[in-house]
Amino acid sequence: MFDLIIRKANLPDGRKNIDIAIRDGQIVEVGAAIKAQAVSEIDAQGCLTSPPFVDSHFHMDATLSLGQPRINQSGTLLEGIALWSELKPDLTVEAIKERALALCRWSIARGTLAIRSHVDICDDRLLAVDALLEVRKQMRPYIDLQLVAFPQDGYLRDPSAKKNLQRALDKGVDVVGGIPHFERTMDEGRQSIRQLCEIAAQRGLRVDMHCDESDDPLSRHVETLAFETRRLALNGYVTGSHLTSMHSMDNYYVSKLLPLMRDADLHVVANPLINIVLQARHDHYPKRRGMTRVPELLEAGINVAFGHDCVMDPWYSLGSHDMLDVAHMGLHIAQMTGVDQIKQAFTAVTTNGANVMGLDNYGLEPGCNADIVILQAGSSIDALRLRPTRLYVIRRGQIIAQTPKTTTQLQLDGKESDVQFTCDLF
Ligand code: FE2
């Protein structure tokens, strides 16, 4: 006897009409027509049934602060950073918590049950750290929330960042962050990477740096990140986020860089929605796209995930924390429209994000956590095309969000008919 069986599910890997049996919050059996009973059953009716979406790069301390104290008029990264500095003195633990919890409710409704959030530690009060540690605890039954100690104003450039970063880690922040391209010089950027990776190695923590979020083709801090990762035997524990300068780098240099990144088992997180609007702001025409070289990184055997980065904050006014929006934008920017590439874009907001975060028991195999989202689409490709309704969101075998199927009725020539957007091709 199982707690729950999901029947006739289509899986992201293309398997169709599969049953998933769940007991005690775990997936126990996956196969065709499981002959057993359960306390409850869901008939997925051939809908895509996936492990939950993973947002491996987000800023939960700033989210939903749009308009406070004013809107970013230029839409640029630098005005966003200035605006965030204007807002910081007025922040309270309660206000940050309230906004973050509201965002978590949106995430759950969209089927995103794992989030890595950077948290700015360049504020001696560490209000955002305290607020998000409480949010992490409060949301633990529903969302795997990982926090990154992020020195927004520069680890060496900000006078109290060194001390505050250690304080944040002492309080229980999970991951060591950084922003080498924002330090005063290239050399200080290199030093910051070395020092931050050493802290991670000493404490046994992962690293995730905002790295080379620039259109400067000579911003090459990712090379140092790969070097320090190997030197300190942090392989598989280090992520380079953004890496937008790679878009503009010399092609010969990139041919040397990719194997170095692969040798260090670096993870990469691109943030398509934000990269396409914040990068290339100094360009006239032609304008660069700014996102890092996703297909080439994947081709080199490097784990690449897509993050949302921002929702309604000083840097980005739009978004509802839907990872399908992110993947949809990412595959367009990178021209990943081959069938296998569209599937890779879906993986970038599911499995690859879980790899970045090092999540245990993620997936749809026996022994995995019964964390599942069922979408009103037949395949991962259709999910990206339609960005459809999340019919069920399941956490440890319990339904935590449910939305009825959406249908639209046409009334043409005096007759009523349903519109079906679905496609059986994939
Ligand atoms: Fe970011």
Side-chain angles (χ1 to χ4, degrees):
M1 190 73 165
F2 294 105
D3 297 332
L4 173 66
I5 297 179
I6 300 168
R7 303 262 186 211
K8 296 190 168 60
N10 286 4
L11 308 190
D13 64 10
R15 282 180 286 167
K16 293 189 189 306
N17 284 316
I18 297 295
D19 292 355
I20 302 170
I22 293 161
R23 189 189 296 125
D24 298 331
Q26 283 204 318
I27 295 171
V28 180
E29 199 178 330
V30 178
I34 292 173
K35 287 184 178 43
Q37 289 196 317
V39 176
S40 58
E41 293 200 359
I42 294 173
D43 183 357
Q45 298 179 316
C47 285
L48 177 67
T49 300
S50 170
F53 296 111
V54 177
D55 184 0
S56 51
H57 187 112
F58 195 66
H59 294 262
M60 209 176 266
D61 47 1
T63 195
L64 303 184
S65 67
L66 183 68
Q68 299 175 29
R70 59 184 177 83
I71 301 261
N72 183 338
Q73 291 299 335
S74 66
T76 60
L77 172 64
L78 291 181
E79 186 176 344
I81 292 173
L83 219 166
W84 176 237
S85 294
E86 289 172 37
L87 173 59
K88 268 200 263 187
D90 297 329
L91 290 175
T92 65
V93 171
E94 275 315 305
I96 298 168
K97 262 183 73 177
E98 200 176 305
R99 289 190 281 99
L101 288 169
L103 190 281
C104 288
R105 294 168 65 84
W106 291 12
S107 308
I108 291 166
R110 296 294 194 202
T112 302
L113 301 186
I115 303 172
R116 174 180 278 182
S117 174
H118 296 253
V119 49
D120 185 3
I121 53 86
C122 291
D123 176 351
D124 289 341
R125 301 167 301 167
L126 293 184
L127 296 182
V129 170
D130 290 339
L132 293 190
L133 284 169
E134 286 181 38
V135 170
R136 185 180 71 181
K137 187 174 171 200
Q138 201 169 321
M139 296 311 296
R140 188 163 280 145
Y142 311 111
I143 294 178
D144 295 304
L145 176 58
Q146 244 177 31
L147 300 177
V148 185
F150 174 46
Q152 170 81 72
D153 300 330
Y155 179 65
L156 298 175
R157 189 168 175 174
D158 181 85
S160 49
K162 274 190 171 184
K163 176 180 56 120
N164 287 345
L165 186 122
Q166 296 280 6
R167 286 172 59 214
L169 297 176
D170 289 343
K171 280 171 179 272
V173 169
D174 309 275
V175 178
V176 178
I179 186 165
H181 58 278
F182 197 71
E183 304 294 351
R184 285 195 173 86
T185 63
M186 289 291 181
D187 191 49
E188 290 212 327
R190 273 192 288 275
Q191 288 178 44
S192 76
I193 294 169
R194 194 183 75 241
Q195 292 176 29
L196 288 161
C197 286
E198 284 174 355
I199 291 170
Q202 282 156 12
R203 288 180 178 254
L205 298 178
R206 289 173 182 269
V207 175
D208 188 341
M209 293 198 189
H210 284 66
C211 191
D212 302 323
E213 189 180 2
S214 159
D215 298 314
D216 175 4
L218 297 179
S219 187
R220 294 177 170 186
H221 292 297
V222 62
E223 179 187 283
T224 308
L225 190 63
F227 176 82
E228 292 298 337
T229 299
R230 274 181 64 101
R231 181 176 74 85
L232 296 162
L234 287 168
N235 285 49
Y237 278 71
V238 177
T239 298
S241 279
H242 289 293
L243 304 185
T244 53
S245 74
M246 280 187 74
H247 187 94
S248 301
M249 280 175 185
D250 173 71
N251 292 322
Y252 184 84
Y253 173 69
V254 173
S255 74
K256 177 198 171 196
L257 177 63
L258 289 173
L260 296 177
M261 295 170 68
R262 177 66 194 86
D263 284 349
D265 298 309
L266 276 193
H267 302 279
V268 171
V269 181
N271 296 291
L273 294 167
I274 307 310
N275 299 153
I276 198 66
V277 295
L278 292 187
Q279 298 313 130
R281 284 284 180 155
H282 295 186
D283 288 4
H284 187 48
Y285 286 95
K287 285 181 192 286
R288 287 167 285 179
R289 300 178 189 207
M291 190 171 78
T292 195
R293 304 187 186 202
V294 174
E296 292 77 12
L297 287 158
L298 288 167
E299 183 69 22
I302 294 164
N303 183 58
V304 182
F306 288 147
H308 208 307
D309 205 2
C310 304
V311 170
M312 299 179 73
D313 69 8
W315 296 274
Y316 187 61
S317 303
L318 303 172
S320 65
H321 213 220
D322 186 346
M323 294 310 294
L324 286 176
D325 282 349
V326 173
H328 185 264
M329 179 62 77
L331 76 90
H332 280 81
I333 298 172
Q335 300 181 326
M336 292 169 61
T337 43
V339 169
D340 288 342
Q341 289 180 311
I342 301 175
K343 291 177 182 170
Q344 283 181 319
F346 189 86
T347 307
V349 292
T350 50
T351 309
N352 293 6
N355 290 340
V356 167
M357 292 181 67
L359 295 179
D360 292 327
N361 305 321
Y362 176 91
L364 289 183
E365 302 306 319
C368 291
N369 291 327
D371 298 350
I372 292 166
V373 55
I374 304 177
L375 300 100
Q376 190 181 345
S379 66
S380 59
I381 292 182
D382 247 15
L384 279 163
R385 183 172 63 87
L386 301 172
R387 282 160 287 159
T389 300
R390 316 305 127 101
L391 301 169
Y392 296 92
V393 180
I394 294 166
R395 173 78 166 176
R396 305 293 195 261
Q398 304 288 324
I399 296 169
I400 60 169
Q402 202 170 340
T403 312
K405 268 191 177 171
T406 46
T407 55
T408 302
Q409 285 218 320
L410 295 186
Q411 295 174 15
L412 303 177
D413 301 327
K415 289 186 213 155
E416 289 191 353
S417 59
D418 285 356
V419 180
Q420 302 292 339
F421 291 103
T422 49
C423 153
D424 294 331
L425 201 56
F426 302 108

